[in-house]
Amino acid sequence: VIAEAAQRAIELEIGGVDFIYDPQATDLARFESSDTVTPEVFSGSSVMNIYFNCSEYSRCQDKRMRQAVAYATDTVALAQVASEGLGTAAASIAHPIQLDWMPEYEGRILYDQDMDKAQALADELRADGVEMAFSIMTDENAMKRASATIIQEACKQIGIAVEIEQLESAVFQSRYGDLTAWDAYMGTNGSQIYVTSLMTTQIDRTGYPNPSELRDAINVAFEEWKEDTSREVVALWEQEIPILPLFYRQAAVAYNKDLKGVDLDLSGLVHPGSLSW
């Protein structure tokens, strides 16, 4: 594993490795004129999210805290800066390649930045005696770190102090299962079928109460896909936002020009069995 993107790019160029995931935009631009490296960018299904701890162990249990963060964050700017131009602000928890994508989601921004709404929610929380601080956990991934920093600055404007805790990948992976250890964390997911398949696998990570109206709606929508139940569960999720989608992320890879049969699935993973020289 080579965690640092710049080092991955160097290893590819000098022949230390033959294929890399997640090259930086600056490296992709350089690879375009390379005689030895082929870069490739495609839509994929990956989404950058902030996962909120909705359990009793965190201040993010209060929906108003989660909504205040959502309204304070300019996801259009975040998508461009954090992804180095490879991201688009999220329009819904549903992804454009999913069955659940509806015409009305096209072109909108899920939580368009509204500092007045964000401030009003923060003021409510403060008046109710809620401590205006929480932490965001992230690993070494550059996009996650940049996203967390932008959210931190946005929250500062409405009086919410955000601490960023950067961990090594192995420690990060071991920590997010412990709801007493974090308030929020940066993470990615991707679902290529329908949104409730993602909801059912991801919501448990947040400690969101069960049973609840949202949990019940997910169960109904998951049993059989129907347009009306899909719309209902998506709308309810977007009010509760246990996980806030920030941007749809284009996937990028780069590989040795002599490597043939590079076959990527919608999540951006390579199928090694198809490769040859």
Side-chain angles (χ1 to χ4, degrees):
V1 174
I2 304 174
E4 187 59 46
Q7 189 59 41
R8 285 198 297 275
I10 291 170
E11 285 297 314
L12 178 63
E13 288 178 300
I14 66 175
V17 297
D18 301 307
F19 183 102
I20 64 171
Y21 290 108
D22 299 330
Q24 296 175 315
T26 49
D27 293 323
L28 284 170
R30 188 174 74 258
F31 293 157
E32 288 289 347
S33 58
S34 172
D35 294 329
T36 59
V37 175
T38 297
E40 192 170 344
V41 178
F42 56 100
S43 295
S45 65
S46 183
V47 185
M48 179 66 73
N49 307 282
I50 178 169
Y51 288 67
F52 292 107
N53 186 337
C54 301
S55 76
E56 61 183 310
Y57 301 113
S58 173
R59 300 177 194 101
C60 295
Q61 178 186 36
D62 195 313
K63 178 173 67 176
R64 295 172 297 176
M65 182 72 81
R66 306 194 296 267
Q67 289 179 335
V69 174
Y71 279 122
T73 304
D74 183 350
T75 53
V76 175
L78 187 152
Q80 286 296 305
V81 173
S83 72
E84 296 185 312
L86 296 178
T88 305
S92 170
I93 185 64
H95 191 281
I97 70 167
Q98 289 173 334
L99 200 64
D100 306 81
W101 185 258
M102 303 294 176
E104 62 266 29
Y105 303 156
E106 192 70 46
R108 75 167 184 167
I109 299 169
L110 175 54
Y111 271 83
D112 206 356
Q113 187 181 41
D114 189 325
M115 296 306 290
D116 290 337
K117 286 183 180 179
Q119 189 65 66
L121 287 161
D123 291 344
E124 274 187 38
L125 290 163
R126 195 174 292 107
D128 288 345
V130 177
E131 186 175 350
M132 304 301 287
F134 69 90
S135 63
I136 298 178
M137 189 170 67
T138 182
D139 58 20
E140 307 103 323
N141 180 278
M143 279 193 250
K144 291 180 184 177
R145 293 200 313 264
S147 298
T149 301
I150 292 168
I151 291 170
Q152 180 187 50
E153 289 301 313
C155 288
K156 184 178 180 181
Q157 295 182 49
I158 57 172
I160 300 176
V162 173
E163 177 187 359
I164 298 174
E165 185 178 14
Q166 183 180 320
L167 305 170
E168 293 182 356
S169 294
V171 179
F172 176 84
Q173 294 290 333
S174 67
R175 284 273 296 275
Y176 72 65
D178 180 2
L179 291 169
T180 67
W182 56 276
D183 294 308
Y185 74 83
M186 306 308 304
T188 58
N189 62 40
S191 176
Q192 300 155 31
I193 309 169
Y194 49 107
V195 75
T196 46
S197 65
L198 182 150
M199 290 177 176
T200 53
T201 58
Q202 299 293 307
I203 195 169
D204 285 339
R205 295 187 177 194
T206 71
Y208 192 87
N210 189 16
S212 66
E213 183 183 1
L214 176 57
R215 292 271 195 172
D216 292 344
I218 291 171
N219 291 337
V220 169
F222 188 65
E223 284 181 12
E224 179 184 2
W225 191 88
K226 294 180 180 178
E227 192 170 305
D228 57 345
T229 54
S230 174
R231 276 193 167 93
E232 287 169 13
V233 74
V234 167
L236 185 56
W237 181 285
E238 291 173 354
Q239 284 299 307
E240 293 295 313
I241 49 172
I243 303 168
L244 173 66
L246 299 168
F247 60 87
Y248 306 132
R249 178 185 162 226
Q250 288 181 292
V253 297
Y255 49 91
N256 187 303
K257 278 189 181 292
D258 292 331
L259 195 60
K260 307 301 180 186
V262 176
D263 179 19
L264 301 164
D265 65 20
L266 286 172
S267 63
L269 296 176
V270 69
H271 297 271
S274 68
L275 301 177
S276 64
W277 291 101

